[in-house]
Amino acid sequence: MKLTGDFKYQGSEQRTGIKDPTKVYFEVALLSGIEQLRCTCEQNFFDKVLPTVKPFTDCKCTFTLNPTYNTLRLVDIQPVK
């Protein structure tokens, strides 16, 4: 299932797993009003798309929802002009 929303891009980071230190996770921080949303993204998206977006830019974001694990994955981010 795809979901979209308007957010302010805050930043992103790469971190290693806690239970399995061999796994690497790519996380994105977004703001909606005073609420913060942290979600994951693919490494390719992290390396190529996110560096082109400046922190605190208003963006339209598209996510995929995994209902099994109740998680969101960022699949598209477009700065709003």
Side-chain angles (χ1 to χ4, degrees):
M1 172 190 295
K2 287 201 175 188
L3 304 168
T4 61
D6 296 326
F7 294 88
K8 191 173 292 270
Y9 174 72
Q10 192 174 19
S12 59
E13 69 178 4
Q14 174 181 334
R15 66 174 185 84
T16 56
I18 295 170
K19 290 183 182 178
D20 184 358
T22 62
K23 282 191 172 183
V24 178
Y25 295 94
F26 302 93
E27 295 189 340
V28 182
L30 302 165
L31 295 173
S32 178
I34 61 169
E35 295 294 322
Q36 184 181 39
L37 171 68
R38 291 183 66 89
C39 60
T40 61
C41 67
E42 294 289 333
Q43 181 178 2
N44 189 34
F45 189 82
F46 181 86
D47 292 337
K48 295 189 173 147
V49 178
L50 293 180
T52 66
V53 182
K54 292 182 181 176
F56 301 103
T57 301
D58 291 323
C59 299
K60 182 167 281 301
C61 301
T62 304
F63 307 90
T64 56
L65 171 68
N66 182 335
T68 304
Y69 297 105
N70 199 26
T71 57
L72 289 175
R73 180 169 294 231
L74 183 65
V75 293
D76 188 41
I77 187 167
Q78 298 294 324
V80 177
K81 297 184 182 186

